[in-house]
């Protein structure tokens, strides 16, 4: 049963991916864990020092990892949408292909495709899913897209209901409403899981710019459980969670040396069982 979805966000270069890898390793000692990179500029392979591709790879006994290809993710989602629409509106085939082409390059295409893909991961037998995100802007857009999609599908559903009334009056069957409702249910499912099970670590260093960005992430995602983490911390006292500096944290054995017990305590103490 999925216990938690853990996301690492923050300014580029603060060590989000390193902490995601170390946390996934630690959790995998007792739980089946999936480490996913949703950052278009992947770095899991370099940090773990083992090859990770666009398919799920087994890293250790309980740890699995994957670097999602943004281009492939959007392409598969667009083709999935096109295939479904062709079935219910076959007379608009050429127009649908143009629509799908535009969908691939829409501003939130990656976030929409990722949300749809996450539903499948949530149904897999993992106890923890760790998401290594791109810098702050993409993470904020990801959550904003999540909320807007629910409203968008509700709007489309109302239009389809009116269309269905007309088609029924004309004695014709209309399958569009069923398609939209199935898409809406997938969106609602991923939203429900993230609202109930997501923990977000806003990673910073000690410099003012990364701390300011961490504060911004907390503000934007205040409806979720967000914890600020100072990575490579040399301070004695800080109200944030802190990870002490480690000279060379790369490779599985060195990642195990990172003192991330405070992060794990937060994750485990707030498990949704």
């Amino acid at each position: 049963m999925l216990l938690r979805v853990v996301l690492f966000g923050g300014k580029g270069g603060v060590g989000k991916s390193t902490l995601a890898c170390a946390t996934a390793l630690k959790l995998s000692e007792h739980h089946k864990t999936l480490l996913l990179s949703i950052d278009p500029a992947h770095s899991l392979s370099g940090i773990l020092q083992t090859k990770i591709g666009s398919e799920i790879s087994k890293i250790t006994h309980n740890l699995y990892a994957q670097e999602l290809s943004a281009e492939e993710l959007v392409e598969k989602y667009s083709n999935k949408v096109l295939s479904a629409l062709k079935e219910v509106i076959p007379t608009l085939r050429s127009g649908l292909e143009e629509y799908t082409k535009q969908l691939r390059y829409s501003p939130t295409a990656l976030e929409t495709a990722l949300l749809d893909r996450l539903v499948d991961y949530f149904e897999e037998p993992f106890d923890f899913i760790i998401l290594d995100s791109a810098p702050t802007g993409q993470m904020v857009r990801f959550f904003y897209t999540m909320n807007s999609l629910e409203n968008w599908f509700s709007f489309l559903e109302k239009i389809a209901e009116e269309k269905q009334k007309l088609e029924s009056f004309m004695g014709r069957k209309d399958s569009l409403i069923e398609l939209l409702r199935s898409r809406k249910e997938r969106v609602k499912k991923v939203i429900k899981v993230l609202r109930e099970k997501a923990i977000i670590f806003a990673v910073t260093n000690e410099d003012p710019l990364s701390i300011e960005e961490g504060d911004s992430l907390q503000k934007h995602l205040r409806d979720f459980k967000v914890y600020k983490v100072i990575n490579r911390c040399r301070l004695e006292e800080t109200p944030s969670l802190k990870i002490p500096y480690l000279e060379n944290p790369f490779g599985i054995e060195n990642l195990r040396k990172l003192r991330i017990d405070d992060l794990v305590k937060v994750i485990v103490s707030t498990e949704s069982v």
Side-chain angles (χ1 to χ4, degrees), residues 171-185:
R172 297 192 295 256
K173 183 181 178 183
D174 183 16
S175 303
L176 181 59
I177 188 73
E178 284 78 12
L179 172 62
L180 288 171
R181 283 173 177 164
S182 68
R183 305 304 303 162
K184 183 181 176 182
E185 284 306 308

Side-chain angles (χ1 to χ4, degrees), residues 71 74-75 78 99-110:
E71 184 177 330
V74 172
E75 183 72 19
S78 300
Y99 164 76
T100 307
K101 180 181 177 182
Q102 298 303 318
L103 177 65
R104 291 188 183 100
Y105 301 104
S106 64
T108 56
L110 176 57

Side-chain angles (χ1 to χ4, degrees), residues 4-5 7 143 193-200 224-225:
R4 277 290 173 197
V5 180
L7 300 94
F143 281 96
V193 171
L194 288 174
R195 284 181 177 159
E196 292 178 355
K197 298 178 182 290
I199 284 181
I200 301 161
F224 292 86
K225 295 181 179 70

